[in-house]
Amino acid sequence: MAKETIVIGLGNPLMADEGIGVVLIERLEALAREGKIPGTDRIQFYDGGTGGLNLLHVLAGRRKAVLIDCARMGTEPGTIRRFTPDQVQTIKQLTHLSLHEVDILKVLDISRQLDECPNEVVFFGIEPLEIRQRMSLSPLLHAQIPHYLQTLLRELSLSSDLDS
């Protein structure tokens, strides 16, 4: 049986800040394994990578989905913002050369049509500083990881012991 909440990190970790969603999922999974964020038995952390239709059935049977991705929002680099699906607008142009061939909004639309979409869907967008070929985040986003984790844990109504 699927856990009631799924937290999906999206992005490509080979493209610097584009991988922030995947990095945060790795951190959340590690903290949960270490027992530093109790209450995660009802939450699945999922590396969604570059997205696509493989996410479609991952959403099925959930009450809530939290999606984390790099997003150009016109804000200061490092800014994290919470959105509902109605507030998100994609500017993605499909090239047919990428694993990003279907954007997450289309996946949610198909999920709704199949009556598999969670009742509550929340997006967290993080403004990148750098998107280029590099296997690590920019120092700016890396330094913000504790802030991002606290923001996500608040969304999930989880307390944490991140300082120990």
Side-chain angles (χ1 to χ4, degrees):
M1 182 170 190
K3 294 185 177 184
E4 70 179 49
T5 299
I6 187 164
V7 182
I8 302 173
L10 298 167
N12 183 346
L14 302 177
M15 296 296 291
D17 292 346
E18 223 287 309
I20 185 65
V22 172
V23 168
L24 290 172
I25 288 300
E26 291 171 354
R27 297 289 178 100
L28 287 166
E29 285 178 324
L31 291 167
R33 272 193 314 272
E34 295 167 6
K36 292 186 174 182
I37 45 174
T40 56
D41 55 320
R42 61 184 172 79
I43 298 171
Q44 179 182 1
F45 299 107
Y46 187 82
D47 176 352
T50 55
L53 284 175
N54 61 324
L55 297 177
L56 181 60
H57 297 297
V58 171
L59 295 168
R62 315 295 181 150
R63 185 188 64 74
K64 180 175 184 173
V66 177
L67 304 157
I68 311 160
D69 200 0
C70 168
R72 297 265 188 212
M73 303 176 290
T75 59
E76 289 292 317
T79 300
I80 185 170
R81 282 198 172 161
R82 182 186 187 276
F83 299 96
T84 64
D86 294 339
Q87 296 170 313
V88 176
Q89 181 179 31
T90 186
I91 56 171
K92 186 175 289 183
Q93 295 180 353
L94 302 181
T95 63
H96 304 291
L97 298 172
S98 162
L99 296 174
H100 272 291
E101 287 300 311
V102 177
D103 70 36
I104 191 64
L105 294 177
K106 185 63 177 172
V107 171
L108 289 173
D109 185 46
I110 296 169
S111 180
R112 281 187 201 96
Q113 291 176 31
L114 296 172
D115 200 26
E116 293 182 350
C117 191
N119 290 334
E120 184 178 5
V121 177
V122 174
F123 287 91
F124 280 92
I126 298 174
E127 184 82 37
L129 177 65
E130 299 176 323
I131 297 180
R132 61 182 177 102
Q133 290 185 348
R134 189 174 76 197
M135 291 183 61
S136 61
L137 299 175
S138 66
L140 176 73
L141 263 61
H142 183 79
Q144 292 293 319
I145 286 175
H147 168 64
Y148 301 148
L149 292 173
Q150 289 293 352
T151 301
L152 295 166
L153 293 174
R154 276 194 304 274
E155 176 68 31
L156 298 167
S157 300
L158 296 171
S159 61
S160 67
D161 188 15
L162 298 183
D163 296 328
S164 61

